[in-house]
């Protein structure tokens, strides 16, 4: 319905409503997080590790940067948004 086609392993995917506005999916066998989907819009965020991606693929932005563990750091220059900045930027899409 939203342009995403799962071609294999569909019977191993479990989904649940993680909030009023989003659904999450994970593998029933190993528990790996697979995707996050906003309910109100056609936004579907899948884990990059699910795909064969080119080595030179970049990151556009980091979100909820203030919630990352202190021992973790990013080595790129992509914009970094706090949780408040992320919600301010994308909250409009939650109401549509």
């Amino acid at each position: 319905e939203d342009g995403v086609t799962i071609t294999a392993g569909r019977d191993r995917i479990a989904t649940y409503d993680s909030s009023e506005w989003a659904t999450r999916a994970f593998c029933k066998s190993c528990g790996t997080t697979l995707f996050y989907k906003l309910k109100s819009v056609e936004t579907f965020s899948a884990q990059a590790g699910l795909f064969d991606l080119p080595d030179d693929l970049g990151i556009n932005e980091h979100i909820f940067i203030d919630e990352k563990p202190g021992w973790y750091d990013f080595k790129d220059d992509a914009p970094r948004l706090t949780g408040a900045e992320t919600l301010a930027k994308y909250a409009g899409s939650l109401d549509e």
Side-chain angles (χ1 to χ4, degrees):
E1 67 185 346
D2 53 10
V4 175
T5 302
I6 298 170
T7 57
R10 187 178 306 203
D11 59 322
R12 294 187 213 134
I13 298 174
T15 60
Y16 69 98
D17 293 334
S18 60
S19 64
E20 292 179 20
W21 60 84
T23 300
R24 294 182 184 269
F26 62 94
C27 174
K28 291 179 190 177
S29 300
C30 69
T32 297
T33 299
L34 300 174
F35 63 81
Y36 174 88
K37 182 178 182 321
L38 293 176
K39 295 177 183 179
S40 62
V41 294
E42 296 298 320
T43 300
F44 187 99
S45 299
Q47 297 292 9
L50 297 173
F51 307 98
D52 291 327
L53 299 172
D55 290 337
D56 61 348
L57 189 66
I59 293 176
N60 291 335
E61 68 184 1
H62 301 284
I63 59 173
F64 294 94
I65 192 75
D66 51 328
E67 297 181 26
K68 74 171 185 62
W71 48 263
Y72 192 85
D73 197 14
F74 300 106
K75 300 290 184 194
D76 59 41
D77 293 327
R80 289 159 170 74
L81 302 176
T82 65
E85 292 167 334
T86 301
L87 292 174
K89 182 174 182 178
Y90 295 108
S93 64
L94 299 175
D95 298 328
E96 296 174 358

